[in-house]
Amino acid sequence: MSDPAVISHLPVRPRHCDAQAMMHASRYYEYIEDAFLDWIGARGGYDRLRREGADLVVKASGCEHHAPARLGDVLAVESAPARLGTTSITMRFTMRRGDELVAVGTVTYVCVRDGHPAPLPTILTGPASPPAATAPGTPPTSTAATPPPA
């Protein structure tokens, strides 16, 4: 895929942190899921996928931690396909705080229809859709390759 990655800017909130104000290791998967929803949203959204009769199930996931995320950080989570198969897509989620690498997650999703593996629909393999208009004063949760709001 030649589309630019989608970058989600996600804050680290108190509910994500342990007593030392560092994000708990299990919470990184929530950021991965939010970033994936932003990535698929740039392609028409999960509702479009479901209207096409497809769904996704997780086959494998992992996360490598490089530096702790802390309370108050805003993580830039870059979502991009790492591998496209016939029925699966592996996504890479690179989390940064400024220029510092915090974590890299991967998730392999398998497309299913009626409970059986099925070919990936074009929403997952084709180009991103043009951005949808948002109501005035409503900031998007993600932006494609742009810095976070000041």
Side-chain angles (χ1 to χ4, degrees):
M1 296 183 76
S2 60
D3 281 345
V6 172
I7 299 176
S8 306
H9 300 282
L10 305 170
V12 177
R13 301 188 188 281
R15 70 177 174 268
H16 302 131
C17 296
D18 59 21
Q20 291 78 37
M22 291 191 298
M23 189 157 73
H24 188 274
S26 66
R27 297 294 194 152
Y28 286 81
Y29 289 96
E30 294 176 41
Y31 285 66
I32 288 169
E33 181 69 13
D34 287 345
F36 181 68
L37 292 174
D38 287 345
W39 182 84
I40 202 168
R43 284 152 179 75
Y46 209 89
D47 288 340
R48 177 179 164 202
L49 180 73
R50 300 294 305 270
R51 281 193 308 274
E52 293 181 11
D55 204 351
L56 297 172
V57 295
V58 174
K59 168 121 175 118
S61 64
C63 188
E64 295 179 12
H65 303 268
H66 298 271
R70 291 181 164 59
L71 180 62
D73 288 347
V74 176
L75 299 181
V77 184
E78 180 180 332
S79 305
R83 182 189 162 283
L84 286 173
T86 304
T87 62
S88 67
I89 181 170
T90 299
M91 295 290 297
R92 179 180 320 280
F93 303 92
T94 304
M95 301 179 203
R96 296 184 184 280
R97 176 183 43 245
D99 292 333
E100 183 180 17
L101 180 63
V102 173
V104 177
T106 57
V107 178
T108 299
Y109 300 92
V110 174
C111 179
V112 295
R113 285 188 168 85
D114 300 320
H116 300 285
L120 292 172
T122 56
I123 184 176
L124 300 176
T125 61
S129 304
T134 58
T138 306
T141 58
S142 66
T143 55
T146 59

